[in-house]
Amino acid sequence: MGLQGDVGTHLWLTRGMAARVGVSLDAVLHEGTLTRADFAGMVTRCRSCSQPADCLAFQTAGGAACAEAPDYCANRALLAELQDLG
């Protein structure tokens, strides 16, 4: 596995990306739709991302929730699944 980013940074990037696309990680964790292991996997995938600055810029762009995460997001598919459940 390649170089991974800081856990704390990517924890917040993962949570922020979910919020930006309208997914409440707290809610899906509470409902059991997403397990803690699933969430840990999301953070791990995020840590392998080569574009954290782009991710942060996307998240801070403002405006309403976006329809989907950017193509470069390692959690894009899972976030889309969670959107469909909501």
Side-chain angles (χ1 to χ4, degrees):
M1 189 177 292
L3 184 64
Q4 293 200 332
D6 174 71
V7 173
T9 298
H10 290 274
L11 169 70
W12 289 108
L13 288 174
T14 299
R15 293 182 67 78
M17 184 62 76
R20 187 77 170 104
V21 299
V23 172
S24 169
L25 290 177
D26 291 335
V28 295
L29 283 163
H30 179 74
E31 294 164 357
T33 305
L34 188 73
T35 67
R36 288 180 186 211
D38 294 334
F39 179 60
M42 291 178 75
V43 174
T44 298
R45 281 189 297 280
C46 182
R47 289 180 66 205
S48 297
C49 179
S50 63
Q51 297 180 256
D54 293 337
C55 181
L56 183 59
F58 175 79
Q59 291 181 35
T60 58
C66 294
E68 59 189 16
D71 290 340
Y72 58 80
C73 180
N75 290 307
R76 183 176 190 209
L78 180 54
L79 288 170
E81 288 178 32
L82 294 171
Q83 283 175 310
D84 290 342
L85 296 174

